[in-house]
Amino acid sequence: MIPVQGYAGQTVAILGFGRSGRATAVALQAGGAQAVVWDDSAATRDAAEADGYDLRDLTKAGAFEGVASLIVSPGIPHLYPAPHPVIAAAWAVGVPVDNDIGLFFQSFATADWDSFDTMPRVIAVTGSNGKSTTAALIHHILVENGRPAQLAGNIGRGVLDIEPAHDGEVVVLELSSYQTDLARALTPDIAVWTNLSPDHLDRHAGLGGYFAAKRRLFAEGGPERAIIGVDENEGRYLANQMAQGQGDDRIIQVSSGQKLTGPGWHVFARKGFLSEYRKDRQIGSIDLRAVPGLPGAHNHQNACAAYAACRTLGLGPRGIEAAMRSYPGLPHRSQIVATRGDVTFVNDSKATNVDSAAKALQAFPKIRWICGGLQKEGGLDGLLPHLGHVVKAYVIGREADQFARQLVGAEAEVCTTMDMAVAKATAEAQAGEVVLLAPAAASFDQYDNFEKRGEDFIRCVGS
C-alpha cells in the first residue's frame, strides 16, 4: 500500500466506493488523513458503513465544509456528458478534485529513496487498444530478466494498493482515458502511447476530447522517454509535439506495418519481424512469428512498444526476445482457449470496439467470427474492409438483427446467444479455421462486463 502524502490531519472525501475507492480510503488513512466516503449505491454505502468507514452525504448543502480534496473513482463522469452533481458541488466551493492516479504520483517517492542505489521508475501505458497487453508484456519481460517490478492501474492491482518501491524497482501502470483525464499529477519516467481509435466518445464529448485526455500523460508529465505509436495521425502529431528535433532519441516511434526511417530511434514490425533502428542503423531484430502469445499485427505493435520500453531501461534485445517467447498472453485478448481437429478457438472478448475487432480479424486467415453486443457510436463501417478473412459471422446480442444487417459482404447468421453461436460455428468449422470471439461491441446487453462474456465463450467451447 502507498500511504498518501500531503493530507495528514485533513479530511478528504471519496466519491465512489468500489475497488479504487476502498484502496484510496486505506491509503489516505495510512498517510494520516481522515477519509469520508459516499457512493450513489445504497448497498455500497451500507457495506462501507458496516466496515467502519465514515459516511458523509456529499449531495447535501455544506457537505464540503472542512474538506481538503474530493477523490473521484474513474467510472464517474466529471465533465461529459455532464458532471456528477457532487463534483459540480465541489467546484462551486473551490474544493480540488483528483483521483487515485494523481494521489499515486504525488505520494510514490519517499525519503527512503535517498538510500537507494537505483531510483525506482514508473512506466505508464495508455492508448485505445493493446495497453493491457503492452503493460503486462513489459512487466513479464522485466520479471523474466530479473528486474523487480509491479503491475497496476487499469490492470491488476489499484495504484495505491501496490507495495512501496524497492531499490531499482519498476512500476508498470496501465492507464485509461478516465484515469489520465482527471489526475492532477502525472509524472511517469517513461510514457507509452499504443494507438488511438474512437471509443468512450460520450465520456469525452468526441474524439478530440478523448485524444486530449490521453495526451495529458505526455503533455502534463514531461516523461524522460516517450514511446509513441505512429500508425495514426494523432500519434504522429504527438511524437512531433514531444520531439525537439529529428534526432531527439527521447522519443521512440513504433509502428506495425511500416518501416520507420530517419535519424531518431525507431522500433517497428513488418511481416512478423520486429526491428530496432537508431540513427538509421539496425541494432536489433526479433522474429515475432515464433511468439505464440502475441499473434497478429496488432500484437506485434504491442510487442514493439514493450520492447522499446524495456530497451530504455537497459535490457538487451536477446533477453527481451527470450522473455517474449514465454509470454502467455492475457485472458480475453487473443487468448487461445482450445484446439480441436485443427480448429482453433480464440477468445478476444476485449475487442469491444470496431478498431480492436478489425485488428483481430486481420490476425487469422480463415475465421468463423462470433460478434455483436451493445453497439458503440460510429457504426460498423470501419469493419467492412476487413471482412475478407471471415468465412461466416455468428451474431449475438439483443440487437443481433441490426448488427448483422451492417456486415455487408459477409455471410451472417443471427444466433442471439453465445451457446447457439459457438454450437453453430463449431459444427460448421473446417480444418485450419479459427472460431474467433471478437465482438466489436460492449457486453452490457447480456453480460456484466467483457470478462463475463469471454468466460461464457470458454464455457461454451468446453461443453
Side-chain angles (χ1 to χ4, degrees):
M1 183 246 314
I2 305 294
V4 173
Q5 301 181 47
Y7 291 103
Q10 301 182 67
T11 298
V12 178
I14 299 171
L15 176 62
F17 210 60
R19 184 189 72 159
S20 68
R22 282 182 172 269
T24 298
V26 173
L28 281 164
Q29 291 170 342
Q34 178 189 2
V36 297
V37 306
W38 185 253
D39 194 284
D40 290 335
S41 164
T44 302
R45 295 196 300 269
D46 290 344
E49 191 169 34
D51 290 340
Y53 290 100
D54 186 4
L55 287 183
R56 181 180 296 190
D57 188 345
L58 299 176
T59 66
K60 291 185 176 180
F64 284 100
E65 185 175 347
V67 170
S69 185
L70 172 66
I71 309 303
V72 179
S73 293
I76 298 173
H78 60 271
L79 187 56
Y80 302 112
H84 189 283
V86 170
I87 295 174
W91 292 348
V93 296
V95 170
V97 180
D98 203 351
N99 62 13
D100 61 337
I101 304 301
L103 295 181
F104 167 82
F105 280 110
Q106 173 183 321
S107 306
F108 184 52
T110 68
D112 294 340
W113 290 21
D114 292 341
S115 63
F116 290 169
D117 292 327
T118 303
M119 288 296 100
R121 311 273 279 172
V122 177
I123 301 175
V125 182
T126 195
S128 295
N129 302 308
K131 56 185 179 292
S132 295
T133 296
T134 300
L137 180 57
I138 293 170
H139 178 260
H140 176 80
I141 293 169
L142 291 171
V143 171
E144 290 296 300
N145 280 272
R147 296 288 294 270
Q150 297 187 71
L151 178 65
N154 205 42
I155 184 174
R157 305 167 72 181
V159 291
L160 294 173
D161 195 37
I162 67 172
E163 299 303 317
H166 302 295
D167 192 331
E169 188 167 44
V170 181
V171 173
V172 185
L173 303 179
E174 180 202 339
L175 299 182
S176 72
S177 59
Y178 293 3
Q179 295 169 310
T180 58
D181 197 18
L182 188 59
R184 297 172 72 91
L186 284 169
T187 54
D189 299 288
I190 301 162
V192 180
W193 172 283
T194 58
N195 50 58
L196 192 84
S197 61
D199 207 356
H200 309 304
L201 300 187
D202 58 336
R203 177 67 180 263
H204 299 292
L207 186 60
Y210 179 49
F211 172 54
K214 291 185 174 294
R215 182 179 177 271
R216 290 191 74 244
L217 182 64
F218 299 80
E220 302 290 331
E224 296 174 14
R225 298 276 189 185
I227 297 158
I228 301 175
V230 294
D231 288 334
E232 298 88 28
N233 282 334
E234 290 84 358
R236 288 188 280 272
Y237 168 85
L238 181 60
N240 183 269
Q241 287 277 298
M242 296 291 293
Q244 295 298 315
Q246 286 186 321
D248 188 352
D249 66 1
R250 295 174 305 123
I251 315 302
I252 307 176
Q253 297 188 21
V254 303
S255 173
S256 175
Q258 59 176 317
K259 181 177 181 178
L260 301 177
T261 59
W265 194 349
H266 305 104
V267 180
F268 58 88
R270 294 181 70 203
K271 298 180 180 180
F273 287 88
L274 179 152
S275 297
E276 177 188 5
Y277 275 71
R278 296 188 73 171
K279 299 179 180 179
D280 254 346
R281 186 169 63 89
Q282 185 172 5
I283 59 174
S285 178
I286 295 175
D287 183 356
L288 296 173
R289 298 172 304 173
V291 180
L294 297 167
H298 60 305
N299 274 312
H300 293 174
Q301 183 188 57
N302 301 333
C304 288
Y307 175 96
C310 293
R311 289 288 283 143
T312 67
L313 296 175
L315 273 65
R318 298 286 74 82
I320 296 174
E321 179 178 7
M324 282 186 175
R325 291 181 185 277
S326 65
Y327 176 66
L330 286 175
H332 315 297
R333 298 161 177 87
S334 298
Q335 176 191 13
I336 297 174
V337 298
T339 302
R340 295 179 184 162
D342 206 23
V343 174
T344 303
F345 295 80
V346 177
N347 167 27
D348 203 347
S349 184
K350 186 61 171 66
T352 58
N353 59 42
V354 166
D355 186 68
S356 56
K359 289 175 178 175
L361 292 178
Q362 297 172 64
F364 308 101
K366 295 181 180 180
I367 297 169
R368 301 278 174 175
W369 179 33
I370 299 175
C371 56
L374 189 61
Q375 191 172 321
K376 296 186 176 181
E377 290 184 45
L380 303 179
D381 287 352
L383 282 171
L384 301 185
H386 307 289
L387 298 181
H389 294 179
V390 176
V391 179
K392 184 177 177 179
Y394 305 81
V395 188
I396 63 174
R398 288 205 305 256
E399 301 172 350
D401 283 323
Q402 178 185 349
F403 197 102
R405 285 196 295 270
Q406 297 177 69
L407 301 179
V408 180
E411 182 183 355
E413 180 174 350
V414 172
C415 296
T416 308
T417 67
M418 186 70 74
D419 286 274
M420 181 178 293
V422 172
K424 288 269 189 180
T426 301
E428 297 175 3
Q430 304 295 312
E433 295 180 346
V434 170
V435 176
L436 170 69
L437 171 65
S443 59
F444 305 123
D445 58 334
Q446 293 181 308
Y447 302 94
D448 290 341
N449 49 52
F450 74 85
E451 291 97 340
K452 295 295 184 184
R453 179 172 56 192
E455 290 165 6
D456 196 28
F457 173 75
I458 295 171
R459 176 191 65 80
C460 293
V461 169
S463 61

